[in-house]
Amino acid sequence: VLFRSIVETGEPLVELSNTQLQLDVIAREAEVSEQLNNLRNTQLAIEQNRLSLKSELVEIDYQIVRLERLIARRERMVEKDLISRDEIETAQDELHYWTQRREVTLESQQIDERLREAQIAQLQSSIDQLEANLAIARANLDNLLVRAPRSGKLTAFDIEMGESLARGARLTELLKQG
């Protein structure tokens, strides 16, 4: 410790260490990183699911259009007695299936999106809380650098290298310059 008898306000006097606090900061940083990673993975899963559902809707819409055209063609053929009514009914049943499947897919997409948005909000809230806790831990770590509270003459500085100090222990005594 470099010792000067006259100090200025805010001048560093001594830097303490606290291994447990340092480990706590590292652990909190890891938690924030993990939650950020979870958030990114969730966002990626949402995007992949959205694209998958979009692709499924494209396929469903294709099948609906194909079947509507097929039914129109077959109705003309039935009118000319070229095919039986059963062939139209089979296509109509298939069209009904794809129409219902489209409705279920849209409903599933809406529910999934709401759940994922809630999950993202929860993860973001968790990240915000972890970052606030991390800021507090970092501030405590910064407080290990003891600074002169005011300018004056340092009359007592009783600290030894490697010494363990109790929380709140008085380290220095300062007389105000006047």
Side-chain angles (χ1 to χ4, degrees):
V1 176
L2 181 61
F3 182 70
R4 290 182 24 202
S5 62
I6 303 295
V7 294
E8 297 296 323
T9 303
E11 183 177 333
L13 300 176
V14 66
E15 184 167 2
L16 305 173
S17 69
N18 182 327
T19 306
Q20 185 58 45
L21 183 57
Q22 291 168 332
L23 291 173
D24 187 43
V25 168
I26 290 168
R28 289 179 192 272
E29 286 173 340
E31 287 176 26
V32 169
S33 293
E34 182 181 357
Q35 288 299 326
L36 285 170
N37 194 37
N38 288 342
L39 179 61
R40 283 187 207 101
N41 287 338
T42 300
Q43 289 170 328
L44 178 62
I46 288 169
E47 188 61 23
Q48 288 173 335
N49 192 49
R50 188 186 67 75
L51 290 174
S52 174
L53 286 171
K54 188 175 181 178
S55 176
E56 189 174 340
L57 282 172
V58 167
E59 173 64 22
I60 290 169
D61 288 342
Y62 165 76
Q63 292 297 336
I64 289 172
V65 168
R66 182 187 66 78
L67 288 166
E68 287 171 341
R69 289 179 184 161
L70 179 66
I71 290 169
R73 278 193 309 272
R74 286 188 177 171
E75 283 179 344
R76 288 190 301 271
M77 294 172 84
V78 165
E79 290 172 2
K80 296 177 183 176
D81 288 328
L82 298 174
I83 60 170
S84 73
R85 190 94 188 130
D86 287 347
E87 291 185 49
I88 289 178
E89 289 172 357
T90 301
Q92 287 173 330
D93 290 344
E94 195 175 343
L95 176 61
H96 180 72
Y97 162 79
W98 284 104
T99 303
Q100 285 184 324
R101 183 167 172 188
R102 187 178 200 288
E103 289 174 20
V104 169
T105 301
L106 285 172
E107 185 178 334
S108 172
Q109 186 177 28
Q110 291 168 351
I111 290 169
D112 191 55
E113 185 145 337
R114 280 195 309 267
L115 292 174
R116 296 288 186 181
E117 285 174 2
Q119 188 177 12
I120 285 177
Q122 184 179 10
L123 281 169
Q124 188 60 54
S125 175
S126 178
I127 289 168
D128 292 345
Q129 184 62 47
L130 286 169
E131 286 178 336
N133 292 343
L134 179 58
I136 291 168
R138 283 183 176 150
N140 288 337
L141 203 54
D142 291 342
N143 288 337
L144 292 176
L145 179 60
V146 178
R147 297 179 179 275
R150 63 180 181 274
S151 298
K153 184 175 182 179
L154 193 59
T155 58
F157 195 69
D158 194 20
I159 185 170
E160 297 286 328
M161 181 78 85
E163 179 179 359
S164 290
L165 301 171
R167 182 176 289 233
R170 186 175 193 109
L171 303 178
T172 65
E173 201 171 295
L174 206 61
L175 288 178
K176 196 170 188 182
Q177 290 284 55

